[in-house]
Amino acid sequence: MAEAPSFRDYNLPEPLLQALDEANYIYPTDIQAAMIPIALTGQDVLGQAKTGTGKTVSYLVPILANLQPGPETQAVILAPTRELSLQICDEVFKLTKHLPFRACAIYGGQDIRIQLQELRHGVQIAVGTPGRIIDHLKRRTLHLNKIQFVVLDEADRMLDMGFRDDIKYILGHANLHRQTFLLSATMPPDIMRLAERYLHNHQDIILSRDDLTVDEVEQHYVSVTQDHKFEYLLALLAQEGAPKAIIFTRTKIGADKLGRRMKDHGLSVHAIHGDLHQLRREKIMEAFRHGEFQYMVATDVAARGLDVRDISHIINYDIPEDAESYVHRIGRTARMGAIGKAVTFVTPEEGGELTSIEMLINREIVQMRLNGVTPVPRRPAGEGPAPAPGGSRGGRRRFGPGRGRR
């Protein structure tokens, strides 16, 4: 059997290799091993891989291996959220310990004067959200006409969040002779069209076309009614233990309400969503990473880019509005080969949404029974609203016609 490659097999600059060693990055993950050799040749790359497999390092290594000393910005990395932008910058700082390169996080919600000062001092890598990047382009405090690298990280989520026109504006103002990397956990048609338009002679690296979710995530659903969700959540947490869990809601109001109810029951929890001040969000996330509380209630946008390696459970208190969001949510657990569990609460009216998720991931999600609560009975097709909890356990879920994908 051939020996697994190490980063030293890629003929990288010694200062970069030293930083990789100090970060304990010895052997590349699958996406890194597939992408780095191709990217080092100068080719554009369209890459798809499971969440939590090291995509950031897969593009940072070839970029850092080819940057040139000087004050000019040579790489711009677009990310859907400020949290992911900050985490990418943290990775840059880690890998440039022995290199003369600097990165700047550019995002809304931070005093723009801080960013202006950093840009004036010269940064080789600009990392940020599309809206604030465009703000700097229009102010002429950031220039892309001589840029060498453009990265679209989590491109599918950027499109989901309405950044399509912003992405086109940025790519339209970037140096035509750049190298472009487009990374995504899923490959909907919009991503493929974006790649066809803005990538040139690109190489596809598709590592998860038929398995969009992490293999190590044990996936279940719980049949509930809307009025009994909180009761079932308490039963689930008691049954599972769940040493560190993210609990997803669809709305900011729902996140706040659930967080308060959990605190009232003595649980160690904080809620996080886009209405919180940025500094407050960062403090909550840092405390969560360090294990200062057990449960985080979050909306999709607030949790996007959250990199915590030891999440034991993802609980979809509200089923996501689209199947792709489910993939991103459960990717918060089972990162870098760890084991995790995802549990989704499904009301009788949401059978269609659950089916859409199963079709996307090509996998059946198994029903979970909870101790101490009566399961919601199965609703035969064509009947009216499901009764309140009680009655027969029934068999494998099919609630009858659901609303389908939204």
Side-chain angles (χ1 to χ4, degrees):
M1 181 181 294
E3 185 178 353
S6 76
F7 285 104
R8 292 194 169 271
D9 295 324
Y10 299 137
N11 195 30
L12 301 172
E14 187 59 36
L16 177 55
L17 288 170
Q18 185 177 349
L20 287 163
D21 286 343
E22 292 172 4
N24 202 31
Y25 297 160
I26 308 302
Y27 298 104
T29 64
D30 289 346
I31 182 63
Q32 293 162 8
M35 181 169 170
I36 290 174
I38 295 170
L40 287 171
T41 68
Q43 275 190 277
D44 289 358
V45 174
L46 171 63
Q48 179 191 14
K50 302 170 188 175
T51 303
T53 54
K55 291 195 291 283
T56 304
V57 171
S58 71
Y59 61 75
L60 283 183
V61 165
I63 289 174
L64 293 174
N66 287 286
L67 288 183
Q68 299 299 316
E72 296 84 7
T73 302
Q74 300 169 53
V76 62
I77 301 171
L78 302 181
T81 66
R82 55 193 92 176
E83 286 77 26
L84 182 57
S85 300
L86 289 168
Q87 289 168 27
I88 294 169
C89 277
D90 287 342
E91 203 69 47
V92 175
F93 298 150
K94 192 184 301 182
L95 297 182
T96 56
K97 289 176 63 176
H98 309 290
L99 291 165
F101 305 132
R102 298 176 62 246
C104 172
I106 298 174
Y107 54 87
Q110 182 189 51
D111 188 339
I112 197 168
R113 291 173 295 182
I114 297 173
Q115 299 166 10
L116 292 172
Q117 185 176 6
E118 289 196 59
L119 289 169
R120 278 196 296 267
H121 283 101
V123 297
Q124 290 71 42
I125 303 176
V127 184
T129 53
R132 184 54 69 94
I133 291 287
I134 288 178
D135 191 356
H136 282 282
L137 291 177
K138 292 181 176 179
R139 290 170 179 263
R140 302 186 64 80
T141 51
L142 178 65
H143 304 277
L144 302 183
N145 57 314
K146 296 183 179 178
I147 209 81
Q148 298 300 309
F149 303 95
V150 174
V151 180
L152 280 67
D153 198 345
E154 298 193 352
D156 49 354
R157 295 308 295 168
M158 284 195 282
L159 294 183
D160 288 346
M161 294 168 65
F163 288 130
R164 183 188 319 275
D165 291 341
D166 290 349
I167 291 171
K168 291 180 178 179
Y169 180 93
I170 293 167
L171 293 177
H173 284 75
N175 177 16
L176 290 175
H177 301 293
R178 66 183 185 266
Q179 185 176 9
T180 306
F181 305 135
L182 192 159
L183 285 303
S184 182
T186 62
M187 286 290 164
D190 282 353
I191 291 293
M192 304 306 294
R193 286 192 289 268
L194 197 67
E196 290 170 5
R197 179 171 179 180
Y198 292 106
L199 274 61
H200 306 289
N201 299 318
H202 67 274
Q203 180 77 36
D204 291 346
I205 300 175
I206 309 297
L207 299 185
S208 56
R209 186 187 304 276
D210 297 320
D211 186 11
L212 296 178
T213 58
V214 183
D215 289 336
E216 290 78 8
V217 179
E218 183 182 331
Q219 299 173 57
H220 299 271
Y221 79 92
V222 173
S223 177
V224 302
T225 61
Q226 189 68 35
D227 291 343
H228 289 79
K229 274 189 178 181
F230 188 70
E231 171 193 350
Y232 281 43
L233 176 64
L234 295 180
L236 174 63
L237 296 178
Q239 179 172 311
E240 290 292 308
K244 181 176 280 191
I246 301 177
I247 303 166
F248 281 99
T249 63
R250 283 185 179 176
T251 68
K252 304 168 188 175
I253 293 174
D256 279 335
K257 181 179 179 181
L258 181 57
R260 287 194 299 268
R261 292 188 72 183
M262 292 177 69
K263 282 184 179 179
D264 289 344
H265 280 73
L267 298 174
S268 175
V269 61
H270 281 284
I272 187 168
H273 52 72
D275 281 352
L276 292 181
H277 190 279
Q278 175 63 17
L279 289 178
R280 176 64 177 158
R281 288 168 64 182
E282 291 175 11
K283 287 181 180 179
I284 291 175
M285 286 190 174
E286 192 64 21
F288 190 53
R289 289 189 188 98
H290 288 93
E292 296 177 20
F293 61 95
Q294 190 171 2
Y295 305 119
M296 176 182 285
V297 181
T299 57
D300 286 303
V301 172
R304 192 62 187 161
L306 175 65
D307 185 13
V308 180
R309 298 292 176 89
D310 54 351
I311 300 295
S312 63
H313 289 70
I314 296 297
I315 300 171
N316 293 310
Y317 191 79
D318 297 327
I319 195 168
E321 293 187 347
D322 59 80
E324 287 81 6
S325 292
Y326 176 86
V327 173
H328 290 289
R329 284 185 181 186
I330 75 167
R332 300 301 98 195
T333 188
R335 296 179 72 85
M336 305 302 280
I339 303 300
K341 181 178 286 189
V343 181
T344 300
F345 285 2
V346 183
T347 67
E349 297 79 18
E350 293 169 336
E353 282 91 331
L354 183 58
T355 299
S356 294
I357 291 169
E358 291 177 322
M359 291 174 65
L360 177 67
I361 66 176
N362 193 28
R363 177 172 174 177
E364 182 181 26
I365 299 176
V366 180
Q367 185 170 11
M368 173 185 281
R369 307 292 187 182
L370 297 180
N371 300 326
V373 296
T374 304
V376 176
R378 179 180 173 183
R379 188 178 80 183
E383 290 194 2
S392 171
R393 286 178 175 265
R396 161 97 170 94
R397 173 284 273 118
R398 277 300 174 258
F399 297 119
R403 289 178 290 174
R405 280 187 64 180
R406 300 181 179 180

